[in-house]
Amino acid sequence: MTVLLGGCGLTGGSGDVTLTLVAADYGDSKSHTTRKYWDDLVEAYEAQHPGVRIEVSVYSWNDVDRKVEEMVDAGQAPDMAQIGAYADFADKGLLYPADQVLSIPTQADFASQLVEAGQVHGQQYGMPFAASTRLLFYNKALFEKAGLTPPTTWAELADDAAALKADGVKYPYALPLGPEEAQAETMQWLLSGGGGYTDTIGSYSIDTQQNVETFTWLKDELVGKNLTGPVAPGSLDRADAFAAFADGDVGMLNGHPSLMKTAEKKGVEFGMVPMPGVNGPSRSVMGVADWMMAFKQNQHREQVGAFLDFVYNDKNVLAFSREYDLLPVTTSASAVMTSTPADQDLEPFLEQLPLSELYPVGKTSWSSVSAYIKKRIGSSVSSGASPSAVLHQLQAAATAAQSAE
């Protein structure tokens, strides 16, 4: 869906400026799109800035990144884009650094780990716009029926899954390693095993012993014992796993805040706990952020900066986070949410954010590496497969992609 939003009553005189923004749609239906959020925000901004017109185009997540790439390739870059990745544009010198558009208070208010994730070659170009973390969701009714308590270790998770399977639960643990978002489930498990996608100096480290042990455990202790449901993990997408949870067919799965509303609508009572690790709750959790960026082409640096300072004020950040069940990217808005009783459902996710580790989005190679992970990782836990061999293949591809940066 494309939505064009703009102001009214402008004369079109020589002093007027029109800014263009391409944004992603976080809504879950035609009646609940991000159009309303941007419509209200633009109306408020233009009322205070009569010489500025804001045109916002909203696209689905299936189309928005591609649309911005097409605009840039055609020499028609928007002034701003709010999408999933920024590093390629930054590496090509197409973006303003954050400190050239944002005021000092606005830039300083971003959560520190999000600032770091928004950097290319030590300079911040990606401005975080929305964030989320992951927790282990479990179906309370199914757990109570089986006499279970939420797991804190891998062994407990496997035991709980076995008990749920014995009770006839369709998906004791839903393991979505299908192509939709396999990189997320993979990273969550790698972190819980003490590993991850990169090492301490930022190089890809996909085939480390820790990571191999993690996927070997998944293959042997969950998938191999038929504890992940009737759909092979490599064919199970996140959206389908979430839908199955909302239907009451899943005992446990990793989920982000939007799953709360989906489950509540279907009347599923659920609990949430930190992701189990080898010997206790995982010390690190996966965080995800989407990004705002400012393109240089139209040379609207000052006007873009003024608008983005408005976008990032507490009122607007909180309005967006609350409407779409996402976490604020600023420390001031997070503090407000933490102290507001109405926001208590998001508190467990907020608590995880300072501990979170994000995808290596500052690497221009990440988009191709992520795509390869989505394509291949599901096969690592299939019958007769070698997790070690698949992770070695992924590492080779990642190393080649990194060398080409």
Side-chain angles (χ1 to χ4, degrees):
M1 171 174 29
T2 304
V3 184
L4 293 180
L5 310 174
C8 302
L10 297 181
T11 64
S14 60
D16 293 345
V17 173
T18 297
L19 301 180
T20 55
L21 165 63
V22 175
D25 190 356
Y26 291 81
D28 55 9
S29 67
K30 290 183 179 180
S31 61
H32 185 235
T33 77
T34 314
R35 170 180 183 172
K36 180 65 165 59
Y37 171 78
W38 286 114
D39 202 354
D40 291 345
L41 187 147
V42 165
E43 182 179 2
Y45 186 78
E46 290 181 346
Q48 299 174 25
H49 301 80
V52 179
R53 177 183 174 88
I54 313 293
E55 293 184 352
V56 184
S57 301
V58 179
Y59 296 91
S60 77
W61 273 110
N62 292 331
D63 301 321
V64 68
D65 285 40
R66 174 182 53 80
K67 181 63 178 178
V68 173
E69 289 178 6
E70 291 173 351
M71 294 173 71
V72 171
D73 290 344
Q76 299 174 346
D79 291 293
M80 296 160 283
Q82 184 272 299
I83 53 178
Y86 65 87
D88 283 346
F89 299 126
D91 192 59
K92 294 174 182 176
L94 302 177
L95 303 180
Y96 286 113
D99 61 6
Q100 289 187 16
V101 289
L102 298 176
S103 66
I104 292 174
T106 297
Q107 188 179 11
D109 200 21
F110 289 135
S112 59
Q113 76 272 38
L114 299 180
V115 171
E116 184 176 350
Q119 295 178 350
V120 173
H121 307 308
Q123 179 110 42
Q124 184 185 1
Y125 294 91
M127 294 166 274
F129 182 76
S132 70
T133 56
R134 300 291 195 269
L135 291 170
L136 183 73
F137 283 67
Y138 65 95
N139 183 307
K140 284 187 173 182
L142 297 179
F143 265 63
E144 289 174 5
K145 183 173 181 290
L148 303 175
T149 57
T152 61
T153 67
W154 286 2
E156 291 175 1
L157 186 149
D159 288 344
D160 285 353
L164 292 166
K165 180 175 184 286
D167 256 8
V169 176
K170 189 174 182 179
Y171 293 90
Y173 177 85
L175 183 66
L177 295 177
E180 179 194 1
E181 204 185 31
Q183 83 286 0
E185 183 74 10
T186 297
M187 184 170 175
Q188 187 77 343
W189 277 99
L190 296 182
L191 292 172
S192 73
Y197 284 134
T198 56
D199 58 24
T200 54
I201 60 172
S203 297
Y204 289 109
S205 56
I206 296 174
D207 63 347
T208 62
Q209 185 62 32
Q210 287 172 313
N211 291 346
V212 170
E213 290 175 356
T214 294
F215 267 77
T216 299
W217 186 89
L218 280 173
K219 178 178 181 293
D220 294 344
E221 301 301 323
L222 289 186
V223 183
K225 294 183 178 179
N226 297 315
L227 300 179
T228 55
V231 180
S235 300
L236 181 64
D237 283 336
R238 175 191 57 82
D240 294 331
F242 278 20
F245 185 83
D247 287 338
D249 291 333
V250 175
M252 298 173 282
L253 84 170
N254 284 317
H256 51 64
S258 69
L259 182 56
M260 294 188 299
K261 186 174 292 184
T262 302
E264 287 169 354
K265 286 180 179 178
K266 291 290 193 77
V268 173
E269 292 189 18
F270 58 88
M272 302 177 297
V273 294
M275 175 67 180
V278 179
N279 299 310
S282 178
R283 295 181 180 179
S284 184
V285 300
M286 189 187 72
V288 177
D290 300 322
W291 304 95
M292 180 74 76
M293 61 214 70
F295 286 88
K296 294 178 178 179
Q297 180 176 322
N298 300 322
Q299 299 183 7
H300 290 153
R301 181 179 64 83
E302 291 184 6
Q303 294 91 343
V304 165
F307 176 66
L308 290 180
D309 280 343
F310 183 77
V311 168
Y312 284 109
N313 71 33
D314 280 356
K315 178 183 177 182
N316 292 324
V317 170
L318 287 167
F320 182 85
S321 300
R322 287 165 173 160
E323 182 65 26
Y324 300 103
D325 293 316
L326 291 162
L327 305 183
V329 295
T330 63
T331 55
S332 59
S334 293
V336 172
M337 186 170 279
T338 299
S339 62
T340 303
D343 296 319
Q344 63 181 357
D345 286 350
L346 286 173
E347 188 170 349
F349 295 95
L350 283 167
E351 291 174 351
Q352 296 289 306
L353 189 58
L355 308 173
S356 66
E357 183 173 327
L358 281 73
Y359 299 131
V361 290
K363 302 173 73 65
T364 57
S365 58
W366 171 242
S367 60
S368 62
V369 172
S370 175
Y372 197 55
I373 291 169
K374 292 179 183 181
K375 181 179 179 181
R376 294 284 292 128
I377 195 63
S379 67
S380 70
V381 295
S382 60
S383 178
S386 166
S388 176
V390 173
L391 292 179
H392 284 321
Q393 292 167 3
L394 291 172
Q395 178 63 38
T399 299
Q402 182 169 274
S403 297
E405 287 184 331

